[in-house]
Amino acid sequence: MLIGVPKEIKTHEYRVGLVPASVRELVHHGHKVLVETQAGTGIGFEDDAYRAAGAEIAKDAAAVFAESEMVIKVKEPQPGECKMLRPGQILFTYLHLAPDPEQTKGLIDSGCIAIAYETVTNARGGLPLLGPMSEVAGRMSVQVGAHCLEKESGGAGILLGGVAGVAAARVVIIGGGVSGTNAARMAMGMEAHVTVIDRSLDRLGELDSQFGPKLNTIYSTVDAIEKHVVNADLVIGAVLVPGAAAPKLVTREMVKQMRPGSVLVDIAIDQGGCFETSKATTHADPTFIVDGVVHYCVANMPGAVARTSTFALNNATLPFALALADKGYRRALTEDKHLRNGLNVHEGRITYKAVADALKLDFTPVEEALSL
């Protein structure tokens, strides 16, 4: 199979779909890889590193899309990229379609086979291709939140961990999954006062056992969220409903009650965000202020630590990329129900129910689309 890797074009996005080591593995399996020139420059891999791994270098994205049977990316295709996709071509990347009707229409119109990293599952009920980036985003959320609390960033001028004789900041994390757990770990490491709110008692029990009395765990209700959010210095939204739009758990009224200079970091912004006042931002202009509260809502947070993120992502995606290339997408999806869960769009039809429901579009079960 001929596999293409275009350069990412989202603002300040330096990650790349394949690192040279992954290219070498695909070539070892008998496949051809076409990489757009300078696709890996942002993380320290020049074209010669890809050539040494066995790839060919394309002059531009148009050549990559025109020649490839499967395109491997990191972020969702931008409008110009959607127009370059063609019927029967495989797209393997993050999609986050539920809050994005424009991209969804572009993929439907293209006739491509779009497989989303974020809805591929595993035998433990997890999301193995979302997990690495959730881990990065969770850790980053505390780092950027601490910076946003500084006065020059619009914050209240609070040091996250306090100092002797001065109280530490109150950090509230909504969602105790991979992102929330990593956020809690970082915030506690910086000696903040940390509360995690989640609706799963089992998960809260696991977090209590893992972190002990240093972590405050609270069962999620509207009342509990309001009580803790309005008194927080930093709130991190880490809620995930796989493939679906994130629920708006923090209302505008709650934001109005927060102290000016408090900070909201919305990790769920890729899925529309879990704060009612959220809107997607970029690394070039990452924050905005609503009712005196600083909002950090960058839709590709892990792109800020692009080298770490790319290696972490490749470790997770490579086995699935090999399966798609070695077997062809139909056989690979037929034999692996977890990879099959990644299929969001197939030849003009939506095959992931949460996306169809969120956008009020017709839904076609995967088994019907693949004639299984």
Side-chain angles (χ1 to χ4, degrees):
M1 183 180 285
L2 178 54
I3 299 151
V5 182
K7 184 177 181 178
E8 297 295 324
I9 59 174
K10 199 162 187 174
T11 304
H12 286 285
E13 180 54 75
Y14 304 106
R15 289 174 291 178
V16 62
L18 295 175
V19 296
S22 298
V23 169
R24 185 178 180 185
E25 196 69 20
L26 285 158
V27 171
H28 179 70
H29 279 244
H31 306 293
K32 295 181 179 179
V33 181
L34 184 64
V35 178
E36 183 181 353
T37 184
Q38 297 187 336
T41 301
I43 59 167
F45 289 121
E46 302 296 336
D47 291 350
D48 284 346
Y50 283 100
R51 288 192 184 98
E56 295 180 17
I57 303 300
K59 64 178 182 178
D60 54 28
V64 172
F65 279 88
E67 297 182 36
S68 303
E69 297 169 77
M70 175 165 64
V71 175
I72 296 180
K73 281 175 45 61
V74 177
K75 290 306 295 177
E76 69 278 0
Q78 302 304 293
E81 293 175 312
C82 284
K83 292 177 182 176
M84 289 190 282
L85 291 164
R86 64 177 186 273
Q89 191 173 40
I90 304 165
L91 173 66
F92 193 35
T93 188
Y94 286 116
L95 295 176
H96 301 292
L97 294 178
D100 194 345
E102 181 184 1
Q103 184 203 167
T104 304
K105 184 179 186 302
L107 294 179
I108 290 172
D109 291 346
S110 76
C112 78
I113 293 95
I115 302 171
Y117 291 162
E118 72 271 11
T119 61
V120 173
T121 56
N122 62 21
R124 298 182 298 278
L127 302 169
L129 306 191
L130 188 62
M133 296 305 95
S134 296
E135 186 175 356
V136 171
R139 295 185 181 206
M140 275 193 66
S141 67
V142 177
Q143 185 172 301
V144 299
H147 179 65
C148 289
L149 278 170
E150 295 173 10
K151 199 66 182 174
E152 80 215 33
S153 302
I158 293 174
L159 182 65
L160 206 65
V163 293
V166 181
R170 294 180 295 271
V171 177
V172 173
I173 301 165
I174 305 175
V178 176
S179 292
T181 300
N182 278 275
R185 179 178 173 183
M186 291 293 285
M188 285 187 290
M190 295 176 75
E191 300 186 2
H193 181 275
V194 185
T195 297
V196 172
I197 300 175
D198 198 281
R199 64 181 181 179
S200 168
L201 285 176
D202 288 341
R203 184 59 190 148
L204 292 174
E206 291 168 358
L207 290 170
D208 185 70
S209 296
Q210 181 176 350
F211 295 114
K214 291 184 178 180
L215 179 65
N216 186 34
T217 56
I218 298 293
Y219 181 73
S220 180
T221 63
V222 173
D223 187 72
I225 291 172
E226 181 177 37
K227 175 184 175 182
H228 287 85
V229 163
V230 299
N231 292 306
D233 299 301
L234 169 60
V235 180
I236 296 169
V239 177
L240 174 68
V241 180
K248 305 295 185 185
L249 298 179
V250 174
T251 66
R252 185 176 295 271
E253 288 303 312
M254 293 179 196
V255 174
K256 285 181 179 179
Q257 295 177 62
M258 295 179 73
R259 185 177 64 248
S262 301
V263 175
L264 299 178
V265 177
D266 199 340
I267 297 175
I269 194 64
D270 271 331
Q271 295 293 132
C274 60
F275 307 140
E276 198 171 40
T277 47
S278 289
K279 62 180 180 181
T281 61
T282 68
H283 288 294
D285 189 15
T287 63
F288 59 93
I289 296 175
V290 177
D291 294 323
V293 176
V294 181
H295 291 58
Y296 181 99
C297 303
V298 175
N300 59 329
M301 285 179 66
V305 287
R307 188 174 174 93
T308 296
S309 297
T310 298
F311 277 102
L313 182 59
N314 268 234
N315 290 342
T317 58
L318 181 58
F320 294 98
L322 285 168
L324 289 165
D326 290 348
K327 301 176 181 179
Y329 87 89
R330 283 187 176 274
R331 182 182 160 198
L333 297 184
T334 300
E335 293 182 358
D336 186 346
K337 66 179 181 181
H338 298 295
L339 181 56
R340 192 160 67 240
N341 287 334
L343 185 64
N344 279 217
V345 182
H346 183 271
E347 297 179 341
R349 294 185 286 180
I350 299 293
T351 54
Y352 198 84
K353 193 171 189 308
V355 170
D357 290 347
L359 297 176
K360 297 180 172 56
L361 296 172
D362 292 337
F363 166 65
T364 301
V366 172
E367 292 75 16
E368 181 181 330
L370 297 177
S371 301
L372 298 181

